[in-house]
Amino acid sequence: MRIGFIGLGTMGRHMASNLMTAGHELVVHDARREAAAPHREAGARWAETPRALAEATDVVFTSLPGPPEVEAVALGEQGLLAGLAAGKVYFDLTTNAPALVRRIHGVFGARGIRMLDAPGSGGPRGAETRRLALWVGGDEGVFKRYKAVLGAIGDQPYYVGPIGAGSIAKLVHNCAGYVIQTALAEVFTMGVKAGVDPLALWKAVRQGAAGRRRTFDGLVDQFLPGRFEPAAFALRLAHKDVTLAVGLGREHRVPMRLASITLEELTEALNRGWGERDSRVAMLLQEERADVAIRVADAAIRQVPELG
């Protein structure tokens, strides 16, 4: 297949190389011509503009720094819109704003061009080794038609839902990761300042319940099905534990901003009379604030291969 690839930076250069390894004919473009040198040496053609690239290919991928660059490449005077004909397909691999993704999808769709968002997760190393999740939003039929092409970029292409769904999944994943990162910095500084060797502390906590389980797997027992009885670990006990942790931080003059917010959340849930319910019941407070009810049937959860 003749594929156009725009954005040969930290992630994109590896993705483009993997497409070539899979046997696809590549046309490339980047804001820095020199970034394409390895691909051109391997046989890729250079296009002077996104428009020229779009005219010369059947499907286009972009991997760009962010929304402003995507908008310029997609809708600019010499952008993809000016070169893509009806029936062609455009995948945006960028971590992008869902609102922009939907706007571009609408503009392209009016001309018969299919646009899907497909941000990846796995970092530069994952992009290089193809150990990369690709979260795709858009027309499911187009996703299925090009799944093998996506598989040349990442080993886990997954259809999430309508246009923008892939970008939303990426933002949920990345934001959660950085919130957790901030929380880990907070509690580890507390633990070390309270007297535990950092390596010993790390080796200890990774053997605990949270340490042994994948980050998002904990959502399936209570939060997704919306079932908080019987309690696996009661809210009143969780409240006691976090109270003690915040107290330890105060004792050693360690700021505990996230832990203090968490304690406020658990206290509010406790004041609702939920003390004997599972500690995850405090998550219902955020559902109320967001005005959304999350309820997934047990049967649907069991269909997830690694959980069934």
Side-chain angles (χ1 to χ4, degrees):
M1 184 174 293
R2 184 174 295 175
I3 295 174
F5 202 102
I6 299 176
L8 302 170
T10 303
M11 299 282 286
R13 70 178 188 270
H14 299 304
M15 296 174 175
S17 294
N18 285 334
L19 285 167
M20 296 183 72
T21 299
H24 297 291
E25 182 181 347
L26 217 64
V27 180
V28 296
H29 177 79
D30 191 273
R32 299 176 303 111
R33 190 184 182 101
E34 62 271 21
H39 306 86
R40 295 175 69 191
E41 289 172 8
R45 289 172 49 202
W46 170 260
E48 288 293 337
T49 64
R51 176 179 181 170
L53 179 142
E55 290 172 341
T57 54
D58 305 308
V59 57
V60 173
F61 288 89
T62 54
S63 177
L64 299 166
E69 293 80 8
V70 173
E71 185 172 20
V73 165
L75 303 176
E77 184 178 346
Q78 290 295 315
L80 296 176
L81 184 63
L84 286 172
K88 290 191 176 183
V89 177
Y90 166 41
F91 287 93
D92 179 34
L93 302 163
T94 309
T95 301
N96 206 342
L100 177 61
V101 166
R102 290 167 178 153
R103 181 159 68 86
I104 294 173
H105 173 268
V107 173
F108 278 40
R111 298 199 184 181
I113 305 161
R114 301 297 184 91
M115 188 263 188
L116 297 89
D117 56 319
S121 178
R125 179 61 179 163
E128 182 178 7
T129 61
R130 208 179 58 81
R131 291 180 60 84
L132 201 66
L134 294 175
W135 295 315
V136 184
D139 186 296
E140 188 172 10
V142 176
F143 164 75
K144 290 178 178 177
R145 195 180 320 143
Y146 288 90
K147 189 174 181 181
V149 178
L150 293 168
I153 296 174
D155 64 337
Q156 297 288 334
Y158 176 71
Y159 179 75
V160 184
I163 191 68
S167 297
I168 292 169
K170 178 67 182 288
L171 296 179
V172 168
H173 176 274
N174 281 22
C175 188
Y178 289 115
V179 170
I180 292 167
Q181 170 184 293
T182 305
L184 289 175
E186 182 170 289
V187 295
F188 262 75
T189 55
M190 175 196 71
V192 171
K193 197 169 183 183
V196 181
D197 174 79
L199 181 59
L201 180 61
W202 174 73
K203 290 168 70 175
V205 298
R206 66 191 294 266
Q207 298 303 320
R212 294 188 185 205
R213 198 170 195 185
R214 292 171 62 179
T215 301
F216 294 99
D217 285 358
L219 298 179
V220 302
D221 296 326
Q222 291 88 17
F223 184 61
L224 290 185
R227 184 177 54 247
F228 302 95
E229 293 90 7
F233 191 76
L235 172 65
R236 60 179 175 79
L237 299 176
H239 185 274
K240 177 261 298 179
D241 289 356
V242 178
T243 299
L244 289 172
V246 170
L248 183 63
R250 188 180 304 113
E251 177 185 343
H252 292 277
R253 294 183 175 275
V254 176
M256 301 286 285
R257 295 192 295 180
L258 289 184
S260 295
I261 292 171
T262 302
L263 182 57
E264 290 177 9
E265 199 81 340
L266 297 178
T267 300
E268 183 176 344
L270 200 64
N271 290 338
R272 296 282 188 99
W274 297 346
E276 298 305 321
R277 303 180 77 184
D278 190 87
S279 57
R280 284 82 171 180
V281 74
M283 298 168 84
L284 288 178
L285 298 172
Q286 178 61 20
E287 284 193 24
E288 290 181 9
R289 296 184 197 109
D291 192 24
V292 61
I294 297 172
R295 301 292 181 270
V296 181
D298 289 333
I301 293 173
R302 287 194 295 270
Q303 289 177 6
V304 179
E306 56 269 35
L307 297 175

